[in-house]
């Protein structure tokens, strides 16, 4: 039966791209024509964020398969920030882009059900996929899997994150000699194998940082049927050459996310008009996609 | 130097309460006078939630030391839900209640900084404390500690959560025979010891579920100077008698949180007016506080 991994794969092939543009709006990087410097109200910030995101979405739409709003950058501005996110999600959908909410939510079962409804239901914040933190164990992430399954959507569970200190918890060695992130991948795989689509991929994916290619090889063995969401490419130090182990033989099986490297390409001073800003972003998206395709489609 | 743990302890002594009322608004439990049954718009939901929370806050104010909004239940209604949360936070502060945002956020460093600003800064969503998920390691939670330290606020790191499957990740046994949640407690303690206030407690607390009293004893040894936030009392199965190991000899060192047991006390049908609803909630808060005090202040 077709699942959301199949939808993703169709889009990847159609667009010849596995690139995801992170939407991490940070006013300090916004050009002057979009926002006054100094103190801004939540409402002004919200308007500027939505304006910026529209430019980004227009500029990246043909080069990326999905956009990935990072929730923190919206929550900073309270309900006004979340309003900008709602409008951004609606705009991205109107451009036929897949929306991955990078929320890293996870809680006890009843609370996770509420989060799952928020991000994978049919409300104003719901996208197509969401990132989920599995630290609370399976009763904390099963509600997301159930909601995704019911609505033909998907999720990415954090397995090995891109940040420098991810080893402190994720790489602890267990008494049987295994590393924690491998145990977690094994646990997740048991469920993933029951949710395969027509391309033999599950709608239950995993976050594995571009900064950890050797770890990715190991996770791939434990999670052969999960699509990886790969952050850390670009600004966080992951290079295109590091990406090879994330893909399967067909160049599928992973989405590569870049945020600052795309949406803040070029210096603030150079970007004096919307047209120039658009060009900087479009160029970064096109070039990132080309670089990634060179690696993922090479043999 | 005085820190937020000292503020908490002053409030605990002043009110003779360590009880925290969870604000988990769930429309299905709202009495008919507050909300029409059937489909409701985000705006209607938001209004009903704020109305309900005002009643709860008025009813619990003299019996609890803090309120703890659970973010998921607001996010379900998008920006309108978050607007209800902003108004709830402002209302709780106007009643001199401490606000603990139960957000369980945690991400890579730059993103955690944005979350920390949202919840511990001076914006519309900021309370006094926030719950933080430490699965990404120290660079994911240090931004919260820094922001809390700067602003005289506090946080609770998840160490041993109250849900049934928390053992799947948190209780894995490491190669040295230690359990993961103990290793994490030890790691956190190194920082906590550098942030002690006048009562020898740090503003870096820990979440330890009421459902795990034996585990709490062990965590206490590793984290002698961290205040515990103890969810799971009431609806999740933790009883007052289980609470003894969470407290120090003075009956301090822990906050006990109850959500459904307080705010949804009594059947929906019985609560036909605001005054009756208020009475049910006030009674549950008063009785919960008495039960907890009997245990924590016994010798």
């Amino acid at each position: 039966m077709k699942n959301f991994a199949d939808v993703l794969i169709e889009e990847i092939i159609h667009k010849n791209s596995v690139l995801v543009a992170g939407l991490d709006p940070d006013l300090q990087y916004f050009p002057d024509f979009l926002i006054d410097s100094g103190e801004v109200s939540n409402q002004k910030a919200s308007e500027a964020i939505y304006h910026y995101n529209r430019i980004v979405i227009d500029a990246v739409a043909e080069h990326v398969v999905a956009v990935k709003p990072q929730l923190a950058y919206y929550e900073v501005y309270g309900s006004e920030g979340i309003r900008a996110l709602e409008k951004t999600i609606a705009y991205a959908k109107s451009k036929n882009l897949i929306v991955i909410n990078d929320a890293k939510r996870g809680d006890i079962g009843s609370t996770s059900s509420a989060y799952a409804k928020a991000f994978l239901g049919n409300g104003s914040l719901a996208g197509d996929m969401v990132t989920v933190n599995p630290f609370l164990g399976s009763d904390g992430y099963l509600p997301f899997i159930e909601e995704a399954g019911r609505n033909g959507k998907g999720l990415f569970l954090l397995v090995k994150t891109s940040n420098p200190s991810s080893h402190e918890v994720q790489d602890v060695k267990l008494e049987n000699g295994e590393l924690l992130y491998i145990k977690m991948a094994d646990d997740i795989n048991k469920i993933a194998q029951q949710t395969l689509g027509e391309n033999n991929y599950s709608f239950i994916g995993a976050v594995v940082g571009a900064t950890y290619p050797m770890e990715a090889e190991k996770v791939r063995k434990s999670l052969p049927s999960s699509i990886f969401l790969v952050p850390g490419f670009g600004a966080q130090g992951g290079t295109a050459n590091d990406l090879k182990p994330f893909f399967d033989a067909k160049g599928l099986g992973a989405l590569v996310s870049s945020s600052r490297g795309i949406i803040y390409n070029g210096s603030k001073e150079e970007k004096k008009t919307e047209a120039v800003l658009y060009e900087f972003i479009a160029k970064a998206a096109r070039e990132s996609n080309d670089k990634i395709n060179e690696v993922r489609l090479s043999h």
Side-chain angles (χ1 to χ4, degrees), chain A residues 11 20 22 49 52 76 106 111 138 152 160 163 184 190 214 225 233 236 268 275 288:
Chain A
E11 275 299 292
V20 176
I49 287 170
Y52 199 86
V76 167
T111 303
S138 57
K160 174 63 185 164
N163 57 312
M184 294 177 75
K190 288 180 196 132
M214 287 188 306
S225 309
F233 172 68
Q236 283 185 58
K268 200 165 141 172
S288 295

Side-chain angles (χ1 to χ4, degrees), chain A residues 11-288:
Chain A
E11 275 299 292
I12 289 169
I13 292 167
H14 171 65
K15 286 199 160 168
N16 194 30
S17 174
V18 295
L19 184 61
V20 176
L23 301 176
D24 303 11
D26 190 339
L27 300 190
Q28 63 175 309
Y29 300 121
F30 281 22
D32 292 340
F33 74 86
L34 268 171
I35 190 105
D36 298 331
S37 51
E39 277 295 304
V40 283
S41 66
N42 283 358
Q43 198 196 326
K44 286 276 173 213
S46 175
E47 286 164 11
I49 287 170
Y50 179 51
H51 190 169
Y52 199 86
N53 283 350
R54 274 203 324 271
I55 298 170
V56 172
I57 288 167
D58 288 341
V60 303
E62 62 173 304
H63 310 294
V64 305
V65 70
V67 290
K68 180 174 76 64
Q70 171 50 264
L71 270 282
Y73 292 93
Y74 302 86
E75 285 190 349
V76 167
Y77 301 103
S79 58
E80 293 284 353
I82 300 299
R83 183 80 193 107
L85 176 58
E86 289 171 329
K87 293 196 287 185
T88 297
I89 290 170
Y91 190 73
K93 286 180 178 171
S94 79
K95 299 287 168 179
N96 293 315
L97 287 167
I98 289 165
V99 175
I100 303 166
N101 274 309
D102 199 353
K104 299 191 175 66
R105 300 300 191 255
D107 211 297
I108 65 165
S110 51
T111 303
S112 276
S113 295
Y115 277 130
K117 202 176 146 201
F119 291 109
L120 299 171
N122 54 18
S124 56
L125 276 182
D128 302 292
M129 305 186 84
V130 65
T131 57
V132 174
N133 185 322
F135 183 63
L136 280 84
S138 57
D139 62 27
Y141 59 77
L142 285 172
F144 290 94
I145 292 174
E146 285 156 15
E147 187 79 24
R150 242 192 321 271
N151 302 332
K153 299 188 172 190
L155 67 149
F156 295 103
L157 286 157
L158 306 188
V159 170
K160 174 63 185 164
T161 57
S162 60
N163 57 312
S165 61
S166 68
H167 67 92
E168 291 172 8
V169 178
Q170 297 159 27
D171 295 24
V172 291
K173 200 183 236 187
L174 309 187
E175 60 175 345
N176 62 4
E178 206 175 56
L179 301 180
L180 176 59
Y181 69 88
I182 296 295
K183 172 210 170 342
M184 294 177 75
D186 290 339
D187 287 352
I188 295 164
N189 190 48
K190 288 180 196 132
I191 314 170
Q193 289 303 324
Q194 297 164 32
T195 58
L196 302 186
E198 293 173 359
N199 287 280
N200 277 317
Y201 275 104
S202 166
F203 62 82
I204 307 166
V207 172
V208 184
T211 43
Y212 295 113
M214 287 188 306
E215 288 80 353
E217 274 194 67
K218 291 191 266 181
V219 179
R220 178 51 80 202
K221 285 189 188 119
S222 293
L223 277 173
S225 309
S226 287
I227 293 180
F228 290 173
L229 175 64
V230 186
F233 172 68
Q236 283 185 58
T239 69
N241 289 331
D242 293 333
L243 294 174
K244 191 71 186 165
F246 292 84
F247 296 105
D248 66 19
K250 293 181 190 162
L252 297 172
L255 301 180
V256 178
S257 164
S258 174
S259 302
R260 288 165 276 176
I262 293 177
I263 69 175
Y264 301 127
N265 181 36
S267 78
K268 200 165 141 172
E269 291 67 33
E270 293 172 287
K271 294 177 279 192
K272 292 205 190 306
T273 66
E274 198 162 314
V276 177
L277 176 59
Y278 176 102
E279 276 311 320
F280 267 102
I281 298 168
K283 181 171 181 282
R286 190 173 52 243
E287 289 178 357
S288 295

